[in-house]
Amino acid sequence: MTQIQNNNKKVVVNVLWTGGWDSTFRILQLSTKDIIIQPFYLKDDNRKSQNFELNAIRSITEDIRNLASTQCTIRDVIFMNVSDINEDKDITQAYKNLAKKHRLGIQYEWLARYSKNINNLEIGDENGRAIDSIILSAIKANGDIKRIVDDKKGEYYIIDKSVSSKDIIKVFGNYHYPILYYSKLEMKKEAEEKGFIDLMNKTWFCHTPIDNQPCGRCVPCVGTIKKGLEYRLSKAALGRYRRKKIIDPIKKHLYTKF
């Protein structure tokens, strides 16, 4: 199902910006539109990558403001500590219900609690053809999405609340999903065509950096490599990735055997 949105005034687009590839791509997409971008960032002092993410955001924001192609107004980032997000027992229970059936990271619980107070928060979840999407699999198993075409923001997807379960609506129902059917390589191609690739290459993705560089072993590093962006990692990181591929199956076999 597709709905058409018509906006006659300058709109504010709320975007969850992590400093990573996906959300930065969306920020750059929006930067050429006559809109206001309000970025949000959730702080967690236990996350080793946080300073790298924040440095990427600061640098890319400055670059966007200086680009000739920029038509948007990009506001300063609004920060919130994960530990300061208000509790919500209903959302927490809805997440637990879904997590029993689907492999959902705990971040979707506190993100849901955060998003309920922000109008139409955009989240940069990309799945390519959505074959391996944990989020979309959970949504499709308990409801559906619908496509929206907006004359200011472009197209995005939302939860179809008329056919989705209460749990899905509580956990995933407050978001707009603008890049749901993009792959990372499709984003790369579009960024190259529009002259944004240098800014995209400033993004950060590694959870456990080594010597201020991506480690090659954490989940985001492995995902970056598997989705075609291995050029973003050093030879040392790629070496660690290859060793991990060899060692992990051995460890799994030994653990299963004994």
Side-chain angles (χ1 to χ4, degrees):
M1 181 187 298
T2 300
Q3 293 182 354
I4 308 294
Q5 300 281 344
N6 294 301
N7 301 307
N8 296 318
K9 61 181 182 179
K10 187 171 286 193
V11 298
V12 177
V13 184
N14 297 318
V15 184
L16 184 66
W17 195 6
T18 66
W21 183 270
D22 304 335
S23 55
T24 299
F25 174 77
R26 179 54 177 167
I27 292 279
L28 288 166
Q29 268 193 331
L30 291 170
S31 71
T32 62
K33 302 178 183 297
D34 185 23
I35 60 171
I36 298 168
I37 300 173
Q38 177 59 71
F40 294 82
Y41 180 92
L42 289 166
K43 287 186 171 183
D44 182 355
D45 291 336
N46 294 319
R47 193 164 66 244
K48 293 179 180 179
S49 59
Q50 181 165 278
N51 287 337
F52 295 90
E53 294 167 0
L54 293 174
N55 286 339
I57 287 173
R58 282 190 285 267
S59 178
I60 294 167
T61 297
E62 184 177 351
D63 288 343
I64 290 173
R65 286 172 173 161
N66 291 325
L67 280 176
S69 61
T70 296
Q71 298 295 316
C72 76
T73 298
I74 182 166
R75 291 176 174 169
D76 292 337
V77 180
I78 293 176
F79 297 101
M80 166 72 85
N81 292 317
V82 170
S83 58
D84 292 335
I85 300 172
N86 291 333
E87 297 295 327
D88 188 304
K89 293 181 180 179
D90 289 340
I91 288 176
T92 299
Q93 187 58 54
Y95 165 79
K96 289 179 178 178
N97 294 341
L98 292 172
K100 289 177 183 177
K101 300 180 289 183
H102 307 282
R103 199 160 42 91
L104 297 173
I106 189 61
Q107 71 269 25
Y108 295 112
E109 188 273 333
W110 46 259
L111 278 170
R113 287 189 279 116
Y114 183 63
S115 70
K116 74 174 188 176
N117 296 315
I118 300 172
N119 252 354
N120 304 322
L121 181 64
E122 289 200 353
I123 188 169
D125 185 58
E126 62 83 18
N127 303 298
R129 299 279 72 83
I131 295 171
D132 59 350
S133 167
I134 294 170
I135 295 178
L136 197 54
S137 295
I139 293 170
K140 290 286 189 177
N142 301 276
D144 209 348
I145 56 173
K146 59 184 176 182
R147 178 173 172 261
I148 308 294
V149 178
D150 187 293
D151 65 346
K152 296 292 186 184
K153 296 186 287 185
E155 72 172 42
Y156 55 89
Y157 291 84
I158 61 172
I159 298 296
D160 187 342
K161 295 183 179 180
S162 67
V163 298
S164 297
S165 72
K166 291 181 180 179
D167 290 340
I168 284 292
I169 293 170
K170 286 184 181 298
V171 177
F172 296 112
N174 293 323
Y175 304 118
H176 286 181
Y177 301 87
I179 56 171
L180 195 58
Y181 289 100
Y182 271 89
S183 70
K184 290 193 187 298
L185 287 178
E186 286 169 337
M187 291 185 227
K188 178 176 180 286
K189 183 174 184 292
E190 186 171 318
E192 288 170 339
E193 291 171 348
K194 294 184 176 180
F196 294 151
I197 193 62
D198 288 345
L199 277 68
M200 290 291 287
N201 287 334
K202 288 186 173 184
T203 59
W204 186 261
F205 52 90
C206 177
H207 280 175
T208 53
I210 297 174
D211 296 330
N212 296 326
Q213 296 293 323
C215 70
R217 298 183 300 210
C218 68
V219 171
C221 280
V222 172
T224 296
I225 293 167
K226 287 184 174 180
K227 292 186 178 183
L229 300 181
E230 64 274 5
Y231 79 92
R232 302 222 44 216
L233 289 91
S234 68
K235 288 183 179 180
L238 291 172
R240 287 189 287 267
Y241 166 73
R242 287 190 288 269
R243 288 192 293 275
K244 175 182 170 64
K245 281 184 67 178
I246 295 170
I247 293 170
D248 279 2
I250 295 173
K251 286 183 176 178
K252 184 177 180 182
H253 173 72
L254 291 173
Y255 179 80
T256 303
K257 186 176 180 180
F258 296 104

